[in-house]
Amino acid sequence: MDVSGAMQGAWGGGAAGALLPCQRLERSRCGRMECRYSGVRYGRSGTLEHDRCGVRKAHFESTLQNVSWGQDRKKPLIVRASSEKVSFPVSESRAANLRRLLEQPGIRQAPACYDALSASLVEKAGFDITFMSGFSVSAARLAAPDAGLISYEEMVDQGRMINAAVKFPVIGDADTGYGNALNVKRTVKGYIQAGFAGLLLEDQVSPKACGHTKGRSVVSRDEAVMRIRAAVDARKEAGSDIVIVARSDARQAVSLEEALWRVQAFANAGADAVFIDALASRSEMQAFCKVAPGVHKMANMLEGGGKTPILSPLELEDIGFKIVAYPLSLVGVSIRAMQDALAALKSGRLPPPSLLPSFETVKDIVGFPKYYEEEARYSTGSSTKNSSYSRMPANASVTSSNEQSTAVVPDLVIPDGESSKDPSSRVAEVVESFSPRSMRSTIAGMWSRTLRIKVTGKDGTVKLNVSIPAGFLEGFSSAIPAVAGLDLQLILEKAQINLGSKLEGESVLADFNDPAGDRIQVILE
């Protein structure tokens, strides 16, 4: 490969900067091109660090702008550096990205995800990586324990969905590899195709289970090491650089000494990182990190009462860990939040606003703004006019009364293009002011607002004064007798149609007396 041509074509002349001499470029273990000049590598941080081989390297805030080779590739080359930060022009696989992150200083926190939404939230929160937990996937997908019940196909399918939703590296839980060495190879290749940047393989017998539960057993030393060798061979055959994390459960199944022997053997077999589950003390964690120098160590902080002491990321980094997984934080708080919400709904209440995001917030999280942008980008005039949706004309009006609420829509345009008043006439022009798109945007904004329902008795006593998200109007009106006969949704839509952008906070949407004489007020906050 002509590295100089690729670099010059991607970066061009660039901004002027200091000319830095280099002896030559070399490819590091993670695939990154490194400039070997007094052990210096061009990166992003401004600190010195030791490479895995002990070479001291400096990371600069500069970005390579131009590279020129001498007549002989063995001769020194010239590198032009600039302080301007730009994205690296060469596409990088997720596995290569993970390797680069692991080579950089600092510990990498990996909250465990279990579906596309949870993985997306981890990425949006600013974490560098995530771990697809078999425990959490089994719970979310099967409502079943992590006891070997979930299959390879189900885990790969879940991984495809997760990796399609995010751009950052995901490490997938591959359990025992789902069989013998040949099954392990198939698993590795399947995880590569699913988009994983890394995978975790363990030495438990099948069916396996969570390492912090009772009754753990492991396969023989030979079979355990053979699984890692098969994984390394599969990676090579697939032409991939996926990161292999080798896990041993021998600490609880046999002894600490056996677990330490196994992770050293895993490292010798080609594992990129090693992990002993359910270490029981800080001293055991320290002993683990002294094994297989130069191979990354992974910690597992089982929240809520596991066997391993819970330490801060800085404490773990001081001991020697490079990755720390948090397996239960997301699935655990999700379970508790759903239980609380269901208890509230069953008792006739809504979850408190402090725990319930607005409808607008939920839409933002799941990607509606981006969807609308893409929809507008690819919209065409013909697709709008040929839409099969009914249109509401600009002169539509909505009326309501205490007894009945009725929408009056004159000259409704029906899908086949004929007027509701004159079936024989053809509609020559589509009314655009209330197209499905504009109507959806108008009403969606209203439904993300908060309403205050106030009920005042004949004697002036306030019987009810509560604020609720507009999206819960239907359930609220059926639960509160005072407003059970009121079509609050229609009132909202009428207010939005009549007032449009003039609708402001503290606007009174409805004010009337019910048959019992109580005064009912619906106020937009």
Side-chain angles (χ1 to χ4, degrees):
M1 174 183 177
D2 187 349
V3 180
S4 63
M7 290 182 174
Q8 289 174 345
W11 290 315
L19 293 178
L20 302 177
C22 303
Q23 290 183 341
R24 57 196 174 98
L25 285 180
E26 293 181 354
R27 189 176 298 278
S28 67
R29 290 188 59 180
C30 62
R32 177 171 48 188
M33 296 306 297
E34 299 180 356
C35 169
R36 298 292 184 179
Y37 176 72
S38 300
V40 170
R41 174 173 58 191
Y42 292 91
R44 291 185 176 179
S45 68
T47 60
L48 289 171
E49 67 165 339
H50 285 278
D51 191 19
R52 291 171 64 176
C53 61
V55 178
R56 195 165 175 81
K57 299 179 178 179
H59 292 256
F60 294 93
E61 287 286 352
S62 59
T63 302
L64 298 181
Q65 293 294 321
N66 195 8
V67 178
S68 60
W69 292 86
Q71 295 179 352
D72 186 344
R73 287 180 179 269
K74 296 181 180 180
K75 292 183 179 180
L77 50 81
I78 300 300
V79 179
R80 184 179 298 278
S82 169
S83 59
E84 180 183 1
K85 293 183 180 180
V86 295
S87 300
F88 197 80
V90 181
S91 61
E92 183 179 49
S93 71
R94 299 190 191 194
N97 185 15
L98 177 57
R99 289 180 179 276
R100 176 176 56 81
L101 289 169
L102 295 179
E103 291 295 335
Q104 292 178 353
I107 191 169
R108 301 298 164 190
Q109 295 175 275
C113 65
Y114 50 89
D115 60 11
L117 177 59
S118 59
S120 178
L121 291 173
V122 174
E123 185 176 40
K124 291 175 180 177
F127 289 91
D128 294 324
I129 61 175
T130 187
F131 174 68
M132 187 189 80
S133 161
F135 185 103
S136 299
V137 172
S138 182
R141 183 157 176 151
L142 305 181
D146 181 22
L149 299 175
I150 197 162
S151 68
Y152 159 78
E153 289 293 347
E154 289 168 315
M155 290 292 286
V156 167
D157 181 64
Q158 199 80 349
R160 290 192 194 99
M161 298 299 102
I162 289 173
N163 284 297
V166 298
K167 296 180 180 179
F168 72 155
V170 181
I171 301 173
D173 191 345
D175 294 328
T176 62
Y178 307 100
N180 62 16
L182 295 180
N183 293 104
V184 170
K185 294 183 71 173
R186 178 173 183 259
T187 297
V188 172
K189 293 176 180 178
Y191 273 48
I192 291 171
Q193 294 173 354
F196 284 107
L199 61 84
L200 184 146
L201 279 169
E202 60 192 68
D203 60 357
Q204 283 197 54
V205 299
S206 184
K208 56 87 60 185
C210 172
H212 291 255
T213 58
K214 63 181 181 179
R216 296 304 91 233
S217 299
V218 293
V219 297
S220 67
R221 287 182 173 185
D222 290 343
E223 184 175 350
V225 174
M226 192 59 68
R227 287 179 181 176
I228 305 305
R229 289 177 179 170
V232 172
D233 289 344
R235 174 176 64 187
K236 182 178 180 181
E237 292 171 7
S240 170
D241 55 353
I242 190 170
V243 174
I244 297 174
V245 183
R247 160 181 160 175
S248 177
D249 287 76
R251 168 61 187 91
Q252 296 299 322
V254 184
S255 66
L256 174 63
E257 291 71 21
E258 178 65 16
L260 295 177
W261 185 96
R262 289 184 178 226
V263 293
Q264 178 65 68
F266 296 160
N268 295 341
D272 302 289
V274 289
F275 164 45
I276 298 178
D277 201 15
L279 291 170
S281 66
R282 183 189 289 260
S283 62
E284 290 188 2
M285 298 166 77
Q286 291 171 336
F288 166 49
C289 287
K290 293 178 182 178
V291 176
V295 176
H296 303 303
K297 309 300 189 302
M298 178 176 171
N300 185 34
M301 296 289 97
L302 181 59
E303 312 91 317
K307 299 181 182 296
T308 304
I310 300 297
L311 303 180
S312 70
L314 289 179
E315 289 176 306
L316 292 170
E317 183 180 2
D318 287 341
I319 292 175
F321 289 98
K322 192 64 181 181
I323 310 170
V324 53
Y326 299 93
L328 295 184
S329 289
L330 296 190
V331 71
V333 298
S334 298
I335 291 172
R336 178 58 58 83
M338 287 188 283
Q339 288 175 331
D340 291 345
L342 292 170
L345 292 173
K346 191 171 184 178
S347 65
R349 298 178 289 107
L350 295 175
S354 60
L355 299 180
L356 183 67
S358 69
F359 181 45
E360 199 70 24
T361 299
V362 173
K363 288 195 302 177
D364 288 342
I365 291 173
V366 300
F368 269 101
K370 183 178 180 180
Y371 174 84
Y372 290 148
E373 290 177 5
E374 291 283 294
E375 185 182 47
R377 177 182 178 185
Y378 296 109
S379 64
T380 62
S382 59
S383 64
T384 302
K385 293 186 178 181
N386 293 334
S387 172
S388 62
Y389 291 104
S390 299
R391 310 282 183 167
M392 182 181 289
N395 62 344
S397 62
V398 182
T399 61
S400 65
S401 64
N402 293 347
E403 298 180 357
Q404 185 178 11
S405 299
T406 306
V408 180
V409 185
D411 297 326
L412 180 64
V413 179
I414 57 180
D416 64 2
E418 297 186 353
S419 170
S420 60
K421 281 192 173 183
D422 186 3
S424 63
S425 64
R426 302 294 297 178
V427 177
E429 184 177 353
V430 178
V431 179
E432 295 295 334
S433 58
F434 279 88
S435 66
R437 174 70 177 87
S438 61
M439 193 69 173
R440 176 173 58 197
S441 300
T442 302
I443 301 303
M446 171 64 80
W447 280 85
S448 66
R449 306 286 290 273
T450 301
L451 299 180
R452 182 156 53 90
I453 310 297
K454 185 175 181 181
V455 180
T456 306
K458 292 185 292 185
D459 59 355
T461 302
V462 177
K463 297 182 177 181
L464 180 69
N465 191 4
V466 61
S467 296
I468 63 169
F472 282 86
L473 282 177
E474 183 177 353
F476 185 84
S477 60
S478 62
I480 307 300
V483 294
L486 182 64
D487 192 339
L488 295 176
Q489 178 177 351
L490 191 60
I491 290 177
L492 265 181
E493 295 177 356
K494 172 188 174 183
Q496 185 68 53
I497 292 171
N498 292 341
L499 299 178
S501 60
K502 297 180 181 180
L503 196 62
E504 299 177 351
E506 297 300 324
S507 297
V508 178
L509 304 183
D511 191 344
F512 62 94
N513 292 329
D514 69 0
D518 291 337
R519 182 183 181 186
I520 312 296
Q521 293 174 292
V522 181
I523 304 166
L524 178 69
E525 293 188 333

